[in-house]
Amino acid sequence: MTLALTIGTEYYLALSALLFTIGAGGLLVRRNPLIMFMCIELMLNAANLAFVSFGKEMGDLGGQLSVLFVLVVAAAEVVIGLAIVVAVMRRRPKASIDEVSVLRG
Amino acid sequence: MGLLTIFAAALPETSFPAIPVLVLLPAFGAVAVALTPNARIGLHKLLATVFTGITGAISVWVLTAFESNGDYQFLSEQTWVDSLGIQWLAGIDGISLFLVVLTGLLFPFVVIAINPHHDHKAYYIWIQLLQTGCMGVFVSLDLFMFFVFFEIVLVPMYFLIGKWGHGNARYAATKFFLYTMLGSALMLVSIISLVVLHSKNAGTDLTFNLIEIASNPAISTTSARIIFLGFALAFAVKVPLFPVHTWLPDAHTEAPTAGSVILAGVMLKLGTYGFIRFGLYLFPEASHFFAPLFITLGVVGIIYGAIVATMQKDLKRLVAYSSIAHLGFIVLGTFALNTQGIQGATVQMINHGLSTGALFMLVGLIYERRHTRQISELGGIQKSAPVLAGTFTLVMLSSVGLPGLNGFVGEFLILLGAFTAHRWWALLAATGVILAALYLLWAYQRVFHGPENGADDQDNTTPDLTNWERLTLFPLIAGIIFLGIYPKPMLDRIEPAVDKLVTHIEETIGDDSFTEPVPTVQIRQSFTDLLEQTHETHEDNTHSGGHE
Amino acid sequence: MIQNMSFIASNSLQTPSVSWSGLLPAIILAAAAILLLTICSLTPIKITNQQLTIYTCVAAVGSLVATIPLWLRVQDESRGPFSTISGAFGIDGFSLFVTMLLTVSVILVSCLAGVFLKSEDIEGPESYVLLLLSATGGIIMAGANDFIILFLGIEVLSISAYVLAAMNLKRIQSQEAGLKYFVLGAFASGFLLYGIALLYGATGSTELTAIRNFLVDTELTNDTLLLAGLALIIVGFAFKVAAVPFHFWAPDVYQGAPTPFVAYMASAIKAAGFAAMLRVLYVTFGQYRADWQPVIYGIAIATLLLGSLLAIVQTDLKRMLAYSSISHAGYLLVGTQAASDQGVAAVLFYLATYAFMVIGSFAVISLNSGPAGTETDLNSVTGLANRKPMLAIAFTVFLLGQAGIPLTSGFFAKFYVIEAVIEEESFGLAIVAMLAAVIGAFLYLRILVKIWLTNQETVSEEGKMIVIPKQVSFVLTIATIVTLFLGVWPEPLVEMVQRAVPVLMAS
Amino acid sequence: MEAVTFFIAALIAVAGACGVVFLKNPVHAALSLVATLFGVAIHFINLEAYFLAVVQVIVYAGAIVILFLFVIMLLGVDRAESMETDPIIGQRQIALLATVGLLILGTLIGVAFSGDVTGIPPIEAQQSTFDGGLVIDNGSIDEGIPPQQNIKEIGRGLFSTRYVFALEITALLLTIGVVGAVVLTRRPKSALDPLPDEEPSAIMRNSEEELAETPSEIEETPTEETGKSDTENLSNEESEVIGE
């Protein structure tokens, strides 16, 4: 079976939008900070995908270059986020962060 | 820095920069008090007396140097925020002259006559800053400058009520602050809208100069009306006019005596003065359009104030409500939009300052003696304190508007003006005079006649006024009598400015004016003749003090 | 520009020209941070907090001084604003003004931080390093002429701030504040980045100049993608500046984070956020103002009203100031909404004056909050006027300033914003803003009542023993003087902000 | 062929994303994140971003996810699993925001399929007309560029354009990452403030007498490892019970 379908930018864009929404929704729904961080990674990846596919369509390298920087940002964010989680969990040895929140919105 | 340059610039124009000194001297006094050590209470009072006293003296000098024409005098001008067209522009004309003098004299009087019970230093600082603010409002001819002073008076008054007040003072102070700030917040929007629209339509740079804006009415009728309402709300709250008056009884009742005297004497005039200077002058058409509304509110205020005052159990609250009634008169006169009405309103502002100020003083003295202001708990003071009772009678009668005392002059002119413009409203308002007589006399009866409550079981009766108190009350009483008998010098100085204003209004609103210009000179002449005839027998020790 | 990139025939690499003097303010801060880190890791000698404070101040002053020749150059008619590194970083009056503001806040905050870190027994140069780096990020944001640079600047600024918020390891509240700040900040970054990606797709570049030129030259047949990107970017910025409905992190973070760094967040981070927002919305998407102005209008109204209303019901000082800072963000949005040079100038004026007031307020709170820094309840200032009159006076000046009482800089800031917005004929917004000011005034009066009009029933020994360290009294003096001076004589700053108009310069 | 790859990779990516959101165990979630990252990497190859595809796998899957797993293991899987924070905001708002999210999704997908996506003219026309600062690489559209070319271009792009500034900024970012991690995971020297929530319950357990005597003992001992402080608390309690 052959697909006569050409995959244009819109397909990539739709996929990236889907990933972004899953990421954003997951961040709001999940309450585990680690999973929340992963959801942030999903959002950033969605943006990356959009960057690259736009770059491809326009034949511009800027999209790919932007992704490189987003990668660095993602790495730096994760490091700090995880460090904060480790710090919190060290103060709260009895696990559940459910009780942790002294500060309520 | 800026202030110094203002000084420097004012110098070459007039030989003596009266206005900057009038405005800034009390502020320097406040700084001087702030720099003295906390414990030197006597020094604080001395400094405050000196600084406010000099201010008062200068204001009297201004009164003598004032020429009876309709122009702004003692002008002082200095750029402030040039890029936004804001400047320091101040001047005095007949309308503001007596308010400046009142502000100049009432403050030293309050400083000398009334001692705070605690925190002397802060008290004198706030009092003097308050004087700066009030003085600034009355001399401002720049809208920005006016707003700054109009709003800044809130802070000293807030602290005066909150810190030295009685009972629920913090509540009253906060209410006072928020109410008046709400009004002035919308006024700020109005001021800016006016200035921006004016500069856009007239194609000029931004300017907050009152005279320039008034002389070139560039904005459309509709926007002028809306903007006028913004101004009017601020002034109505400050006056206070009927539906937005609720802060006043609280503030007056809980304020310390000094606060009440200043509030009644000067600060309520910020609103009525604002109506005349900014409402009528900037928006003649809108004032004319909304005049029925404000006259109605004024009359409602007169009747309402009188009725509610009748029902008060607290003597100070009663005086506060009587204030509302009096201010209703002033608004009525203002919106009669003719010479008699506005002149009467201006005169009545001064009169109300004197009479109600004195009434609050006396209530304060009674409170000091009996530690209660409940009318039911007072009584029979006349027996033990006849001089106090006599003074109270005099002041009360002036407040009622008895011919021969100052209250009569203003009320008569106002009713005359209102009658020319809207006679039925004037008739209604006249009933307010009767009601005033009713509730004040009734209150007098309950407080001063009858058995002396509370004094029976204890041995002490109410002590009479001390010599010092008599001395401090004397200027107010003298003013009340003098202005009642011989208001001519005052009217002479006020009239040209009012005439000019009325001409300005009539030019703008054109022929469909509902005010029928009455030959003003004739009426005033006959009026003063009448006064002089009626009271030539009246013994007046103040006559010699007049300068004519 | 990128045009010639893929067809460079030769193998030699041509790097873009760099105007080092233009980058100097940022370089000084970053280099100072790295140098400090290096020194501290190489030498065994303990460096005291005081020395670190002085070092940081010197670096910030150096950066501030470096902006002066740039400012003069930019104001010079014949030379004007310029950009460097192939148009990545623009140096105009706007970016320089924000740079000055940031360096001044770093100076003030580092003074507070020195005292705080000492009392909390936190040693090491890291907080100063992060403070300096964060400010560098802010400078980059203010001058960024490219979305990617802007994004990286925001991240440098915010990631340091996350760490600063979680700095106080002794208090769990601090780490939780850091966690909350981090999660929501990163969430916002995600939105911002996705918005940037969509804008890249819609306009073909991430460079602001290119985008603006593209929008001016091209009539888009379908601008859905552009508007979607714009919306996402606005959401991202709204998170960063704590505008309603993306404000909910602010109170928690303000309450939990160390007080000096809260002062930094409220002053510098807000300033940098608005700087970036103004450059993007007003300068780059000025063509599309009809589309974004209503959105900002709505956000501004919600922010003003909700911020001031929620502030009233709080009982914790830091939370109160957090909500009031939300409400102040509303004012800044009002100025942004005006989308005029006057509006930009008003926002800059507001930011500058607010920075001093808010740093001063938090300085007072951190002094008054007891040895552990936890007593931030409203009742903790009860009778402050009796205990520490000077402190009470300074606090009063800051509170009155924030309430917008005349003769304080806060009044003129509000006045200027309202003026700008009325010139654009948004009367409704002006009225709402002033109503919010009245509601907000109630909040400040509540605090003033506690300070001046309430007598403390029991004077605790600790309460009496507030010692004002030199650095803090320096901060308080500066903040008070600036607040009062600019209230009486705002002309110098007005002239300055009117020249700090943002422009986009191609290389 | 491209279509087949696209749909397979898309399936992997979306499935992975769903896994992150719906799997309870953080380890599983991290692993499904790897799936998403791989899926995206395949898309990158499809889009001729070869270098990025490699970096995606090395940095994301190789470093970031490993970091996640490392922290999960450090904290203990079971604890990480039950580590739920308070909702950021109330449940209702979450539902609301989720709806908003779905709306965004719908809009974006609608946008994506609405024909000319960007307002930019279609590719054929674009080559001649469009000059928005873009590079039109004729080769890449028809034949595709070889991977080496891609790396070379990226290198040039990074160092010979404005991106060199961005590159410098990333240096700052990484510094902050290092400094921040060091600061946050350091142990504080002086005594810790008591934990606000647990304090009352700890006090409740003691009798009134002991409460008067031992308020300072309730504070945690700062330098101890987490498990140890647990046992210490326990032993304190035990000794008190014995004391009674």
Side-chain angles (χ1 to χ4, degrees):
Chain A
M1 173 185 150
T2 46
L3 278 169
L5 199 58
T6 40
I7 301 298
T9 310
E10 63 268 23
Y11 286 83
Y12 288 101
L13 195 58
L15 174 63
S16 106
L18 189 60
L19 285 180
F20 184 79
T21 315
I22 293 175
L27 190 135
L28 291 172
V29 175
R30 290 303 296 260
R31 292 154 63 191
N32 185 324
L34 293 173
I35 308 268
M36 285 165 126
F37 295 170
M38 293 180 202
C39 291
I40 290 167
E41 296 305 317
L42 284 180
M43 291 165 75
L44 296 184
N45 259 283
N48 284 352
L49 192 57
F51 264 122
V52 175
S53 59
F54 281 129
K56 167 82 188 308
E57 171 169 331
M58 296 181 292
D60 180 23
L61 204 61
Q64 293 191 26
L65 287 168
S66 309
V67 171
L68 272 180
F69 298 115
V70 176
L71 270 173
V72 181
V73 167
E77 271 190 354
V78 163
V79 168
I80 296 302
L82 290 178
I84 295 176
V85 169
V86 169
V88 170
M89 293 310 283
R90 236 188 3 217
R91 275 311 303 280
R92 295 273 187 190
K94 289 177 192 150
S96 166
I97 294 198
D98 245 346
E99 304 150 25
V100 160
S101 282
V102 192
L103 310 162
R104 285 162 210 282
Chain B
M1 289 253 274
L3 306 179
L4 287 179
T5 45
I6 290 164
F7 261 123
L11 274 172
E13 285 170 26
T14 53
S15 55
F16 177 65
I19 287 179
V21 174
L22 275 178
V23 175
L24 296 179
L25 199 61
F28 288 137
V31 174
V33 173
L35 292 177
T36 51
N38 287 344
R40 311 271 316 262
I41 294 170
L43 185 62
H44 298 150
K45 180 161 182 172
L46 181 69
L47 278 173
T49 312
V50 168
F51 276 96
T52 53
I54 296 176
T55 313
I58 295 171
S59 72
V60 172
W61 175 80
V62 165
L63 182 65
T64 54
F66 187 85
E67 292 163 28
S68 296
N69 59 38
D71 295 331
Y72 296 106
Q73 297 168 35
F74 311 100
L75 277 177
S76 97
E77 197 174 355
Q78 169 67 30
T79 55
W80 191 353
V81 186
D82 217 12
S83 38
L84 293 176
I86 294 166
Q87 55 178 348
W88 165 287
L89 179 66
I92 296 175
D93 73 347
I95 296 172
S96 53
L97 173 70
F98 286 93
L99 289 165
V100 167
V101 176
L102 183 68
T103 311
L105 294 178
L106 199 64
F107 276 85
F109 166 74
V110 164
V111 166
I112 294 169
I114 304 164
N115 286 324
H117 296 292
H118 54 93
D119 293 292
H120 293 73
K121 184 174 167 178
Y123 173 84
Y124 289 114
I125 293 175
W126 288 128
I127 284 271
Q128 296 191 73
L129 287 179
L130 187 58
Q131 189 180 15
T132 287
C134 292
M135 199 63 102
V137 170
F138 292 132
V139 298
S140 294
L141 295 177
D142 179 275
L143 284 168
F144 181 86
M145 179 182 163
F146 165 73
F147 184 83
V148 165
F149 285 115
F150 190 78
E151 183 104 339
I152 199 73
V153 292
L154 292 186
V155 180
M157 201 63 210
Y158 171 77
F159 281 107
L160 281 177
I161 297 177
K163 201 159 174 60
W164 289 273
H166 324 277
N168 210 351
R170 278 178 274 160
Y171 166 76
T174 308
K175 192 172 176 183
F176 157 77
F177 194 102
L178 290 180
Y179 251 85
T180 31
M181 188 171 173
L182 178 67
S184 47
L186 294 180
M187 183 168 77
L188 182 65
V189 177
S190 300
I191 287 181
I192 299 174
S193 308
L194 172 69
V195 167
V196 167
L197 289 180
H198 177 267
S199 85
K200 270 189 184 167
N201 295 351
T204 53
D205 288 344
L206 285 181
T207 176
F208 285 79
N209 186 326
L210 175 71
I211 306 163
E212 233 169 88
I213 295 175
S215 62
N216 183 4
I219 58 174
S220 70
T221 315
T222 324
S223 20
R225 283 176 187 173
I226 295 170
I227 293 171
F228 170 76
L229 282 184
F231 275 84
L233 180 64
F235 298 141
V237 172
K238 205 89 166 185
V239 169
L241 216 49
F242 162 65
V244 285
H245 64 281
T246 56
W247 63 268
L248 181 83
D250 285 320
H252 260 322
T253 316
E254 314 299 0
T257 305
S260 298
V261 172
I262 292 170
L263 198 58
V266 179
M267 279 192 59
L268 301 183
K269 310 307 174 310
L270 302 184
T272 49
Y273 171 78
F275 266 125
I276 297 179
R277 168 69 78 231
F278 297 92
L280 265 52
Y281 187 41
L282 286 175
F283 310 100
E285 197 282 332
S287 304
H288 177 220
F289 183 77
F290 286 113
L293 171 69
F294 287 98
I295 287 179
T296 312
L297 290 179
V299 173
V300 169
I302 296 170
I303 309 284
Y304 168 85
I307 292 173
V308 179
T310 320
M311 300 184 297
Q312 290 310 309
K313 297 190 176 80
D314 182 317
L315 187 56
K316 211 171 177 185
R317 237 182 147 76
L318 183 145
V319 180
Y321 274 105
S322 84
S323 243
I324 294 177
H326 282 120
L327 291 156
F329 266 109
I330 299 181
V331 172
L332 175 66
T334 306
F335 282 93
L337 297 180
N338 51 29
T339 311
Q340 300 84 33
I342 297 173
Q343 200 178 1
T346 315
V347 171
Q348 186 66 357
M349 283 189 227
I350 310 298
N351 293 337
H352 175 259
L354 288 175
S355 331
T356 312
L359 269 183
F360 276 119
M361 277 290 290
L362 290 166
V363 173
L365 293 176
I366 292 173
Y367 179 71
E368 271 178 24
R369 284 161 169 73
R370 302 290 293 267
H371 302 289
T372 179
R373 293 187 307 254
Q374 295 301 310
I375 296 174
S376 57
E377 292 171 25
L378 297 164
I381 294 176
Q382 197 178 22
K383 268 179 224 157
S384 49
V387 182
L388 177 61
T391 320
F392 197 94
T393 315
L394 185 78
V395 174
M396 181 192 75
L397 289 177
S398 125
S399 185
V400 170
L402 188 78
L405 295 173
N406 63 346
F408 174 69
V409 186
E411 276 179 9
F412 183 83
L413 279 171
I414 288 171
L415 287 175
L416 200 61
F419 191 79
T420 332
H422 307 263
R423 62 194 55 176
W424 293 110
W425 285 126
L427 280 179
L428 255 179
T431 61
V433 184
I434 300 162
L435 282 171
L438 183 76
Y439 63 78
L440 276 173
L441 289 171
W442 191 36
Y444 179 82
Q445 189 198 1
R446 283 182 293 165
V447 171
F448 289 90
H449 293 280
E452 195 159 357
N453 293 338
D456 297 334
D457 42 340
Q458 297 159 27
D459 207 16
N460 57 340
T461 51
T462 312
D464 206 347
L465 291 180
T466 61
N467 283 338
W468 172 248
E469 284 161 354
R470 287 178 202 188
L471 194 67
T472 52
L473 276 170
F474 176 76
L476 289 180
I477 306 299
I480 287 171
I481 295 172
F482 174 73
L483 290 179
I485 294 165
Y486 192 57
K488 189 167 181 298
M490 188 179 183
L491 295 174
D492 280 344
R493 283 175 171 76
I494 293 174
E495 194 179 347
V498 173
D499 273 340
K500 204 174 166 187
L501 177 63
V502 171
T503 319
H504 174 73
I505 296 170
E506 278 167 359
E507 273 170 6
T508 317
I509 55 184
D511 295 333
D512 59 336
S513 151
F514 58 51
T515 61
E516 299 155 38
V518 181
T520 51
V521 181
Q522 191 191 334
I523 282 188
R524 188 179 56 78
Q525 216 62 45
S526 57
F527 173 61
T528 36
D529 289 350
L530 176 83
L531 283 177
E532 275 166 6
Q533 278 166 21
T534 324
H535 300 289
E536 59 195 1
T537 52
H538 203 291
E539 50 99 22
D540 51 338
N541 43 2
T542 52
H543 216 298
S544 54
H547 29 254
E548 274 281 313
Chain C
M1 295 289 273
I2 205 163
Q3 247 107 345
N4 309 319
M5 192 172 71
S6 50
F7 293 110
I8 295 171
S10 72
N11 279 326
S12 69
L13 194 70
Q14 285 178 325
T15 50
S17 69
V18 178
S19 156
W20 294 104
S21 68
L23 290 172
L24 199 57
I27 290 177
I28 289 178
L29 287 187
I34 310 261
L35 187 69
L36 180 62
L37 208 55
T38 322
I39 295 172
C40 289
S41 46
L42 291 184
T43 53
I45 313 156
K46 274 264 162 68
I47 300 176
T48 62
N49 275 319
Q50 196 164 7
Q51 288 163 332
L52 288 167
T53 303
I54 293 170
Y55 178 89
T56 312
C57 286
V58 168
V61 168
S63 177
L64 184 61
V65 169
T67 56
I68 293 170
L70 285 172
W71 174 267
L72 295 176
R73 176 187 160 164
V74 166
Q75 298 306 334
D76 187 355
E77 297 273 320
S78 57
R79 301 166 85 183
F82 61 102
S83 71
T84 179
I85 323 182
S86 300
F89 189 75
I91 293 110
D92 53 8
F94 181 75
S95 74
L96 288 173
F97 185 85
V98 177
T99 306
M100 292 180 203
L101 181 54
L102 287 169
T103 50
V104 170
S105 353
V106 167
I107 295 170
L108 298 179
V109 169
S110 69
C111 290
L112 297 184
V115 175
F116 166 79
L117 295 173
K118 199 173 164 195
S119 73
E120 288 288 308
D121 206 15
I122 300 172
E123 285 173 347
E126 289 86 358
S127 6
Y128 296 94
V129 170
L130 289 170
L131 195 59
L132 287 168
L133 287 177
S134 176
T136 316
I139 294 175
I140 293 168
M141 276 168 83
N145 271 1
D146 185 297
F147 266 127
I148 293 301
I149 311 283
L150 181 72
F151 180 68
L152 289 171
I154 288 181
E155 288 303 314
V156 170
L157 177 92
S158 335
I159 294 182
S160 323
Y162 306 148
V163 183
L164 289 176
M167 268 291 299
N168 192 353
L169 294 175
K170 281 167 29 181
R171 292 189 58 217
I172 188 71
Q173 290 95 330
S174 169
Q175 276 115 66
E176 287 185 8
L179 186 59
K180 201 156 234 176
Y181 194 21
F182 173 80
V183 170
L184 291 167
F187 188 52
S189 300
F191 272 88
L192 193 63
L193 185 71
Y194 202 72
I196 293 173
L198 294 188
L199 289 177
Y200 171 66
T203 61
S205 178
T206 56
E207 210 176 354
L208 301 187
T209 326
I211 291 175
R212 190 201 47 196
N213 293 342
F214 176 78
L215 294 177
V216 171
D217 297 341
T218 324
E219 185 82 23
L220 290 184
T221 51
N222 178 352
D223 57 4
T224 326
L225 198 60
L226 183 83
L227 294 183
L230 207 49
L232 286 174
I233 281 201
I234 290 176
V235 170
F237 280 132
F239 258 110
K240 292 284 175 200
V241 301
V244 175
F246 311 106
H247 65 286
F248 37 78
W249 58 270
D252 289 345
V253 173
Y254 278 35
Q255 191 186 2
T259 311
F261 303 132
V262 175
Y264 178 75
M265 284 176 211
S267 57
I269 296 189
K270 192 159 271 184
F274 269 100
M277 195 163 171
L278 280 173
R279 194 180 284 278
V280 169
L281 290 183
Y282 172 52
V283 187
T284 313
F285 290 96
Q287 200 77 7
Y288 273 74
R289 69 177 59 178
D291 290 306
W292 58 260
Q293 263 180 325
V295 179
I296 300 290
Y297 193 101
I299 296 179
I301 286 187
T303 309
L304 283 166
L305 291 180
L306 215 65
S308 40
L309 282 175
L310 288 178
I312 291 175
V313 297
Q314 303 301 319
T315 53
D316 181 280
L317 276 177
K318 279 168 95 177
R319 282 184 91 82
M320 282 177 159
L321 285 182
Y323 278 108
S324 102
S325 125
I326 292 172
S327 164
H328 286 289
Y331 277 97
L332 294 161
L333 286 169
V334 169
T336 311
Q337 196 272 344
S340 59
D341 284 356
Q342 196 80 316
V344 174
V347 169
L348 289 180
F349 189 94
Y350 205 113
L351 284 171
T353 52
Y354 179 64
F356 286 100
M357 292 187 286
V358 81
I359 291 177
S361 307
F362 279 112
V364 176
I365 290 178
S366 91
L367 273 184
N368 188 56
S369 56
T374 45
E375 294 164 31
T376 54
D377 191 77
L378 178 58
N379 287 323
S380 68
V381 289
T382 305
L384 185 68
N386 296 332
R387 284 180 283 146
K388 274 280 164 194
M390 294 314 281
L391 203 59
I393 289 171
F395 202 15
T396 307
V397 169
F398 304 138
L399 292 175
L400 290 178
Q402 291 184 56
I405 300 298
L407 302 186
T408 61
S409 58
F411 165 69
F412 200 81
K414 284 201 170 65
F415 172 83
Y416 205 178
V417 167
I418 302 285
E419 204 264 348
V421 83
I422 283 181
E423 271 194 11
E424 299 305 310
E425 308 200 336
S426 307
F427 299 104
L429 196 54
I431 289 172
V432 171
M434 287 317 292
L435 289 181
V438 178
I439 302 171
F442 182 59
L443 163 78
Y444 304 115
L445 288 183
R446 270 187 76 195
I447 305 177
L448 286 178
V449 162
K450 287 283 176 197
I451 296 176
W452 291 96
L453 309 181
T454 314
N455 289 320
Q456 212 176 16
E457 292 88 28
T458 51
V459 181
S460 65
E461 284 303 304
E462 284 170 292
K464 272 189 166 177
M465 293 295 286
I466 301 180
V467 182
I468 307 183
K470 253 184 250 161
Q471 297 103 307
V472 180
S473 61
F474 165 76
V475 171
L476 288 175
T477 317
I478 296 271
T480 314
I481 289 175
V482 169
T483 303
L484 289 177
F485 177 80
L486 289 177
V488 176
W489 193 246
E491 178 78 0
L493 190 60
V494 171
E495 267 183 19
M496 204 164 160
V497 292
Q498 283 187 339
R499 292 184 196 186
V501 176
V503 285
L504 287 180
M505 298 294 296
S507 52
Chain D
M1 182 58 202
E2 197 197 354
V4 176
T5 346
F6 174 82
F7 282 113
I8 292 172
L11 200 66
I12 296 173
V14 173
C18 291
V20 171
V21 177
F22 294 115
L23 290 177
K24 200 154 174 58
N25 187 327
V27 178
H28 298 169
L31 291 177
S32 46
L33 179 62
V34 175
T36 306
L37 300 175
F38 266 117
V40 174
I42 297 172
H43 288 302
F44 283 170
I45 294 177
N46 238 2
L47 291 164
E48 290 161 7
Y50 305 108
F51 180 66
L52 282 185
V54 175
V55 173
Q56 172 90 357
V57 174
I58 295 175
V59 175
Y60 259 123
I64 294 179
V65 175
I66 295 300
L67 196 60
F68 268 113
L69 288 172
F70 192 77
V71 169
I72 293 169
M73 295 305 173
L74 180 77
L75 297 174
V77 183
D78 50 336
R79 277 176 53 204
E81 201 172 341
S82 65
M83 193 169 62
E84 299 279 297
T85 48
D86 251 7
I88 302 161
I89 31 175
Q91 289 291 345
R92 264 181 245 154
Q93 283 98 319
I94 284 190
L96 187 81
L97 281 171
T99 326
V100 172
L102 284 175
L103 281 178
I104 295 173
L105 172 74
T107 327
L108 290 180
I109 291 181
V111 170
F113 285 98
S114 66
D116 61 342
V117 173
T118 62
I120 296 171
I123 292 168
E124 294 77 30
Q126 178 192 336
Q127 294 174 13
S128 55
T129 54
F130 183 67
D131 59 350
L134 302 174
V135 178
I136 311 301
D137 190 342
N138 293 317
S140 73
I141 291 160
D142 299 326
E143 301 134 36
I145 42 166
Q148 312 93 296
Q149 188 65 29
N150 178 248
I151 294 170
K152 205 171 183 178
E153 276 184 9
I154 283 181
R156 283 190 185 284
L158 273 184
F159 288 101
S160 67
T161 63
R162 64 183 189 277
Y163 287 106
V164 73
F165 188 48
L167 194 69
E168 297 300 328
I169 301 172
T170 57
L172 293 185
L173 264 181
L174 294 175
T175 315
I176 292 168
V178 174
V179 175
V182 170
V183 170
L184 290 175
T185 49
R186 206 160 45 185
R187 285 176 199 289
K189 281 183 183 164
S190 48
L192 299 173
D193 287 0
L195 296 177
D197 268 357
E198 289 170 4
E199 203 178 40
S201 57
I203 292 170
M204 293 290 274
R205 263 185 266 128
N206 290 328
S207 69
E208 285 172 14
E209 277 180 27
E210 286 153 357
L211 182 68
E213 285 173 15
T214 58
S216 58
E217 286 175 27
I218 298 165
E219 281 189 17
E220 276 187 51
T221 37
T223 48
E224 293 304 319
E225 190 60 61
T226 52
K228 271 191 189 175
S229 71
D230 266 358
T231 52
E232 263 193 15
N233 281 348
L234 270 178
S235 61
N236 262 350
E237 275 177 17
E238 275 173 11
S239 64
E240 283 155 16
V241 171
I242 293 164
E244 272 183 17

